[in-house]
Amino acid sequence: MEGELPAKEQLNERAASGEDITTFEVSHIAQAESDMTGRGPIKGGPAATAQSLHDRQQNFLDVASEVARKPSDEVTKEDAARVQHAEARALGGHPPGKGSTSADVQSLADQNAQNKNSD
């Protein structure tokens, strides 16, 4: 990537496939933009896109970690919705599919709701 900036579409595709956008990469892209412009990163450019995607990925990890720390029998449908929303944002707006963290949390929340209703 030396001297060349990734296209915003390329960054979005990577995020949609679940690939991490690292802090190092964000910094590298911002530095490359600064070197090109002589003024700093481009508003709405690849560095801004990379930073936004990185932040969304980190938010998803934070939300998922918060829910994972709960006892499994206390995971609610509201928890599942929060994880799903954060994961979709981390994937660039694409809905998470089968086998995703969201799907696993939703399954657990559904099971808990069913168990609660049968008590």
Side-chain angles (χ1 to χ4, degrees):
M1 190 168 78
E2 212 163 300
E4 197 174 304
L5 296 174
K8 294 189 309 184
E9 296 77 21
Q10 179 188 22
L11 293 165
N12 284 314
E13 287 172 11
R14 287 180 45 211
S17 72
E19 188 176 335
D20 287 341
I21 308 297
T22 66
T23 304
F24 175 79
E25 184 175 8
V26 172
S27 178
H28 185 77
I29 295 168
Q31 184 60 53
E33 280 186 5
S34 294
D35 291 347
M36 285 176 53
T37 65
R39 298 176 291 152
I42 303 162
K43 183 177 181 179
T49 299
Q51 182 67 60
S52 177
L53 291 167
H54 170 74
D55 291 349
R56 290 175 185 185
Q57 290 173 341
Q58 287 305 120
N59 181 63
F60 164 61
L61 293 174
D62 292 345
V63 170
S65 293
E66 179 184 322
V67 171
R69 285 190 296 273
K70 293 178 79 168
S72 62
D73 62 344
E74 292 180 17
V75 174
T76 66
K77 290 187 178 217
E78 290 79 16
D79 293 325
R82 288 179 51 229
V83 172
Q84 190 277 332
H85 177 75
E87 188 169 14
R89 286 182 46 89
L91 295 172
H94 299 279
K98 287 184 177 182
S100 66
T101 300
S102 298
D104 292 343
V105 175
Q106 184 64 57
S107 177
L108 182 58
D110 290 344
Q111 182 181 353
N112 289 341
Q114 188 175 36
N115 289 343
K116 187 177 181 180
N117 289 335
S118 66
D119 287 343

